[in-house]
Amino acid sequence: MKLTVVLPVITDAFTEEVRREVAAWAAPGTEIDVRRIARGTASIESEYDEALAGPGILDAVRDAERDGADAVFVSCFGDPGVHAAREIVDIPVVGGFEPAVLTSLALGERTGVITVLPNVLPMLHGLVRRYGLTERVGSIRVVDIPVLDLDPGERLLDGLAEQARAAVAAREADVVVLGCTGMLGVAAALQERLAKDGTFVPVVDPTGAAVMWLESQVRLGVRPSRTTYMPPRAKDRVG
């Protein structure tokens, strides 16, 4: 299969890191194409950023299908443009939130999300409500690090471990989900740290969950339902 990863940012700073990360999760034989948007913002950390990135995401998803992609991963935990994209293409499209959180629900009763900044909390709480998960997502916490400052070093890992331990201790989380696709390469290390506390708590990486989710959908031969994602009616539009 051919998997296209759309980076919903206007910088190339993440391209090669994301390419390596996706390749590490993908099954043998999966062809990976990574492309960024032509217009938008350097990172998505607010509703404003998401709105600005939307047209570029939709253009990139449409182009990916035209270029032969079997599925598209919009690499952002906020699922920007995903539902709109499902209306205009005939292939599976996911962001980071839906596959990661739904995967986590099979691993424990309550999920705790750890994301980047307080600015994104309203967006993520909105997704929790949209997906009907209010009773299962116990908390959304932040490490207070901007997306552009994320790296797999000790600062990020220490912040994640602190918030994860607090969520588990408060009975807010039985499973931890990393709430930003820019948190690359730290899920296993965080899971190991938590296990050393004496009780195993799984940590779900959103990129890994999304890649495997899409591969499963392609192998199953399914795509979004046209009774939900109806094609937009023809009318004048300025793109």
Side-chain angles (χ1 to χ4, degrees), residues 170-196:
R171 301 299 298 162
E172 297 170 355
D174 305 298
V175 185
V176 172
V177 170
L178 300 183
C180 178
T181 56
M183 295 175 175
L184 299 170
V186 296
L190 176 60
Q191 185 171 277
E192 183 178 351
R193 280 202 188 188
L194 298 179
K196 288 180 179 178

Side-chain angles (χ1 to χ4, degrees), residues 151-174:
D151 65 63
E154 291 300 307
R155 179 190 177 198
L156 174 58
L157 194 53
D158 287 346
L160 289 169
E162 178 184 359
Q163 295 303 322
R165 287 172 174 141
V168 172
R171 301 299 298 162
E172 297 170 355
D174 305 298

Side-chain angles (χ1 to χ4, degrees), residues 8 22 25 34 47 58 62 69 71 74 86 117 134 157 163 168 179 207 213:
V22 171
W25 289 111
V34 181
E47 298 276 7
L58 296 177
R62 186 184 285 109
V74 180
R86 290 172 180 170
L117 297 169
T134 304
L157 194 53
Q163 295 303 322
V168 172
T207 295
W213 189 278

